Amino acid sequence: MNASDESFPEIRESVRKLCAQFPGEYWRALDRERAYPTDFVQTLTRDGFLSVLIPEAYGGSGLGLGAATAVLEEVHRSGCNGGASHAQMYTMGVILRHGSPAQKEAYLPGIASGDLRLQAFGVTEPTAGTDTTRISTFARREGNSYVVSGQKIWISRAEHSDLMVLLVRTTAREAAARPTDGMSVLLVDMRTAVGNGLTIRPIRTMLNHASTELFFDNLEVPVANLIGEEGKGFRYILDGMNAERILIAAECIGDGRFFIERASAYAREREVFGRPIGENQGVQFPIARNHVQLSAAALMVERAAALFDAGQPCGTEANMAKMLASEASWAAADTCLQTHGGFGFAEEYDIERKFRETRLYQVAPISTNLILSHVATHVLGLPKSF
Ligand SMILES: Cc1cc2nc3c(=O)[nH]c(=O)nc-3n(C[C@H](O)[C@H](O)[C@H](O)COP(=O)(O)OP(=O)(O)OC[C@H]3O[C@@H](n4cnc5c(N)ncnc54)[C@H](O)[C@@H]3O)c2cc1C
């Protein structure tokens, strides 16, 4: 892409400069230890990049999702990873859209400054999987508290968060009028919860993503920490998922650009049989195809973000953007690895690390089949299969 075509050029330039302080060696060392990139996250926070979605009245820059996608795209294009910090941008949306004035005052300024880390979002459970209506973590009301028991899995960054947005059942599925009723959103203060009813167990995965499993055993959460109305939590969570999908799609666009730029550079320089490998159309066409696919996906991300910022419905576009971008980045990752031959497997090139990282996004935060199911039933009017 030409620099003149890019949205938010100043933001992109500043993010690139920031990321240059965190080169491949930084990420490789963390990856080996499965350690959290604290310095990187603190620097992004200090420079205000994680508060772009928070209105100015609460200390953010209120720039909107288009600006946020530019930030995350550049983070990923630079070879860095936004997975450790992106939730600080959007998880607060549930408080912003559905919290009481007192909750907004209490939390949003701290989240904007970074004094409060709201990086954890607890929805997935081992037995429910993608069928969120089957969650069974239950919060029973006792006086001024909810008492929470149950289990969550794959909750990212729980060990690096002061607060967590938690989806629980407050009415059993069988007793609710509809399966999507009877769920509620609680804001859990991790600083007091851990050791008092909440246990966090890290899960080692193929990428460095601070994944954890959470066990709740009669954890007390003040009723004052209920967001919105009891029983309506599913709807509140769905609202926030569009922002999450669009931002993750932007990370995939950044990954795709990283792979395409690296593959092109290597194909220009690497000489085999007395000429650059990039002179062979068998090497250059896959890279060119990746560029075509990624450019189309980037337009869908831009469209979804523009709809979101205009307050228009964007569920289908957010899903389509996430699917197209995650597939385009994965295709580019595969080409980049192939273009590098054996060197693609060497840690020092950062390609195998980014290859592992970008694969996640066809599964989380929503898997491709579920996106296709959404399009089939909601857009094309085909019968629902489940
Ligand atoms: C590294 C990582 C970080 C994560 N972070 C978080 C987090 O912070 N918070 C959180 O709440 N969750 C998190 N998740 C969970 C993630 O959102 C889920 O893994 C994802 O939504 C898929 O759900 P599942 O793993 O339960 O798969 P399942 O629902 O068990 O599905 C397994 C496979 O079957 C397919 N499938 C299921 N049902 C159907 C159907 N009806 N038709 C066709 N195909 C179907 C799916 O597409 C998928 O490919 C994370 C996951 C990972 C791996």
Side-chain angles (χ1 to χ4, degrees), residues 121 123-124 129-130 154-156 209 211 360 363-365 367 369-370 386:
F121 181 54
V123 175
T124 308
T130 310
W154 302 123
I155 309 311
S156 306
H209 204 80
S211 309
L360 172 65
V363 171
S367 57
N369 275 0
L370 272 293
F386 53 88

Side-chain angles (χ1 to χ4, degrees), residues 1-298:
M1 185 190 274
N2 298 324
S4 57
D5 295 338
E6 291 177 339
S7 58
F8 302 99
E10 294 87 8
I11 289 182
R12 286 175 188 272
E13 187 52 35
S14 309
V15 174
R16 277 179 214 144
K17 279 198 187 125
L18 185 157
C19 289
Q21 302 165 45
F22 299 93
E25 306 91 74
Y26 173 79
W27 296 98
R28 265 175 257 143
L30 295 169
D31 190 65
R32 272 194 290 277
E33 304 296 327
R34 293 294 189 269
Y36 189 76
T38 305
D39 289 349
F40 176 70
V41 176
Q42 282 176 350
T43 309
L44 274 180
T45 308
R46 183 200 65 201
D47 291 2
F49 291 117
L50 300 184
S51 61
V52 290
L53 295 176
I54 300 180
E56 283 176 288
Y58 297 109
S61 53
L63 286 172
L65 205 67
T69 60
V71 171
L72 291 176
E73 183 186 320
E74 291 306 325
V75 164
H76 280 245
R77 182 182 188 169
S78 303
C80 300
N81 190 328
S85 50
H86 56 206
Q88 182 80 4
M89 280 181 164
Y90 59 78
T91 313
M92 64 79 211
V94 71
I95 303 175
L96 182 64
R97 282 186 292 275
H98 306 289
S100 65
Q103 287 170 333
K104 291 182 203 182
E105 283 300 332
Y107 297 112
L108 293 179
I111 297 168
S113 67
D115 293 335
L116 278 178
R117 297 165 306 162
L118 173 51
Q119 292 267 31
F121 181 54
V123 175
T124 308
E125 296 191 5
T127 51
T130 310
D131 186 357
T132 304
T133 68
R134 302 262 173 201
I135 65 165
S136 54
T137 296
F138 199 89
R140 69 173 194 280
R141 179 86 186 252
E142 278 188 15
N144 285 332
S145 295
Y146 285 103
V147 180
V148 182
S149 289
Q151 192 183 340
K152 297 279 173 186
I153 194 165
W154 302 123
I155 309 311
S156 306
R157 304 163 297 269
E159 296 166 296
H160 306 281
S161 292
D162 301 312
L163 302 169
M164 170 170 61
V165 165
L166 180 69
L167 187 70
V168 292
R169 274 222 165 265
T170 38
T171 305
R173 191 178 192 269
E174 307 71 49
R178 289 175 302 180
T180 50
D181 289 345
M183 285 178 266
S184 302
V185 173
L186 299 178
L187 195 61
V188 175
D189 191 327
M190 306 295 273
R191 297 163 297 185
T192 52
V194 175
N196 291 305
L198 172 61
T199 306
I200 305 179
R201 202 186 77 188
I203 309 174
R204 198 175 163 94
T205 61
M206 71 185 256
L207 74 165
N208 184 15
H209 204 80
S211 309
T212 68
E213 198 169 4
L214 307 181
F215 300 90
F216 300 89
D217 181 12
N218 292 317
L219 171 72
E220 284 190 36
V221 179
V223 169
N225 288 22
L226 172 74
I227 307 286
E229 278 180 59
E230 188 180 292
K232 300 212 168 137
F234 185 72
R235 187 164 56 81
Y236 304 155
I237 291 289
L238 277 189
D239 279 0
M241 285 177 170
N242 289 334
E244 181 180 46
R245 286 172 200 178
I246 296 167
L247 290 173
I248 283 182
E251 294 188 340
C252 294
I253 299 296
D255 281 346
R257 296 203 196 288
F258 169 89
F259 290 122
I260 290 167
E261 284 160 10
R262 288 291 180 98
S264 305
Y266 191 78
R268 280 192 296 269
E269 285 158 21
R270 169 76 169 165
E271 293 200 4
V272 182
F273 297 110
R275 58 183 184 165
I277 56 169
E279 243 179 74
N280 302 298
Q281 291 184 328
V283 172
Q284 59 180 233
F285 281 7
I287 308 172
R289 178 180 294 278
N290 295 148
H291 177 74
V292 173
Q293 289 170 335
L294 197 82
S295 302

Side-chain angles (χ1 to χ4, degrees), residues 283-328:
V283 172
Q284 59 180 233
F285 281 7
I287 308 172
R289 178 180 294 278
N290 295 148
H291 177 74
V292 173
Q293 289 170 335
L294 197 82
S295 302
L299 288 175
M300 183 55 80
V301 177
E302 214 175 284
R303 164 103 184 118
L307 287 171
F308 184 96
D309 282 338
Q312 301 286 320
C314 64
T316 296
E317 288 77 7
N319 272 312
M320 295 201 299
K322 208 283 282 186
M323 178 180 141
L324 289 172
S326 63
E327 291 187 349

